[in-house]
Amino acid sequence: MDKAETERIRHQSCLVHLRRELLKVVLPSDLYKQLLDKSEEYVTQELQKQLLANTDGMKLHTALKAINAVFRIEAEKNAGLLNPEQARKAQAELIKYLDQMMLEASKGLVTQKGTTWVKTRNVPAAKPCVYYLNAREDFATFLGSSEIPPCTNKVERAIRGVTILRKNSLHKHSANYMEAMCIALSIDATLRENGIDPFKWLQKYSQALFKHMTAKGLSQVWKETGQRKQILYPSPGKVGRGR
């Protein structure tokens, strides 16, 4: 935290997302859904059965196994079974192997246009190859620090509330709306951190704002007409009711 903000920021492409794209290719869609809640060992066995006669598929399958191994080592590091240096050294070898397999699988399927990779063949295997190549350098960011995870799950969980709210607010998608929403969420978080009930605070704030705006409006009428009006605030039980 003692470094400049630009020096603290590191971008890590998510290996979980890459793994998901690979699974969609090497598994038929119906089998993919069936294996989502199965153990890694069971999934591996099923994959081998499906891919024995598919050379291109086996390259992607091998890349998938390398990613799985990266996360096994990460779990061992987090459990204290491996020190961070040992873990990152082993993971560095796996990332090199992953890179080799993805480059091999990409041959004839993708091409580079400017700084972006695009597919040249409309086949399922091209999509994860394009995904990988366009974020290739950032998949290895975590190797430079024991504090950076190989996936973005922690970040995604942190912004999930804002993302869901944005998705469900279909009536107004704009930068200004997002800024206003984030300000409101920041206020809510600040209140909770200070032990203040956001609902009760908002209720008091709204009542005070209503009184202020009413007094301001009546003052304006007084200036324009020269007649002072008495402020009559409705009782809580009559708010919103007809007279």
Side-chain angles (χ1 to χ4, degrees):
M1 295 299 293
D2 58 340
K3 296 182 180 180
E5 182 177 356
T6 53
E7 295 179 2
R8 296 200 305 265
I9 295 174
R10 297 290 185 273
H11 185 267
Q12 169 66 41
S13 294
C14 186
L15 284 172
V16 169
H17 287 157
L18 177 60
R19 182 178 186 273
R20 188 178 303 150
E21 293 300 325
L22 290 171
L23 280 171
K24 290 177 181 178
V25 174
V26 299
L27 289 175
S29 58
D30 55 339
L31 183 58
Y32 172 67
K33 293 177 181 178
Q34 294 173 22
L35 297 180
L36 281 177
D37 58 347
K38 302 296 183 180
S39 68
E40 184 177 314
E41 181 180 359
Y42 182 86
V43 171
T44 300
Q45 291 175 353
E46 289 299 314
L47 284 172
Q48 289 174 341
K49 292 178 183 178
Q50 295 288 326
L51 302 172
L52 283 176
N54 188 340
T55 304
D56 292 332
M58 284 304 297
K59 291 175 183 176
L60 296 180
H61 178 225
T62 305
L64 186 62
K65 291 179 67 175
I67 294 174
N68 292 340
V70 167
F71 282 105
R72 281 200 301 272
I73 293 173
E74 187 72 9
E76 292 177 1
K77 175 181 75 70
N78 294 337
L81 301 177
L82 282 176
N83 67 52
E85 185 177 350
Q86 289 176 323
R88 288 301 186 247
K89 184 176 181 180
Q91 288 170 323
E93 292 300 316
L94 289 166
I95 291 297
K96 289 181 181 178
Y97 193 57
L98 169 66
D99 186 65
Q100 180 183 350
M101 290 297 100
M102 293 304 299
L103 291 178
E104 286 290 329
S106 298
K107 291 179 179 178
L109 299 181
V110 301
T111 187
Q112 191 171 17
K113 288 187 177 181
T115 59
T116 304
W117 289 88
V118 297
K119 60 184 180 181
T120 56
R121 293 177 57 193
N122 191 24
V123 294
K127 186 175 179 180
C129 294
V130 168
Y131 182 88
Y132 176 79
L133 291 173
N134 282 325
R136 183 184 177 193
E137 299 301 324
D138 292 331
F139 280 113
T141 302
F142 76 101
L143 296 175
S145 171
S146 61
E147 298 178 351
I148 300 177
C151 67
T152 59
N153 287 345
K154 185 175 182 180
V155 175
E156 291 182 15
R157 285 194 296 268
I159 65 174
R160 181 174 177 79
V162 176
T163 304
I164 292 176
L165 184 57
R166 180 192 63 189
K167 181 179 179 180
N168 293 334
S169 302
L170 302 178
H171 61 286
K172 194 175 183 183
H173 277 188
S174 70
N176 289 338
Y177 173 66
M178 284 301 299
E179 183 178 0
M181 185 177 69
C182 288
I183 290 173
L185 291 173
S186 296
I187 293 173
D188 178 79
T190 301
L191 291 171
R192 293 181 187 278
E193 286 295 321
N194 287 276
I196 300 173
D197 186 324
F199 177 78
K200 291 181 179 179
W201 179 87
L202 184 60
Q203 190 176 46
K204 290 181 179 179
Y205 171 81
S206 299
Q207 291 171 350
L209 180 62
F210 172 76
K211 291 180 179 180
H212 169 73
M213 297 303 295
T214 302
K216 185 176 180 181
L218 291 173
S219 297
Q220 184 65 31
V221 172
W222 184 17
K223 290 179 181 179
E224 294 175 354
T225 65
Q227 296 181 3
R228 183 172 183 176
K229 303 292 183 180
Q230 184 179 3
I231 302 176
L232 296 175
Y233 296 116
S235 62
K238 293 184 178 181
V239 173
R241 296 181 182 177
R243 294 189 177 182

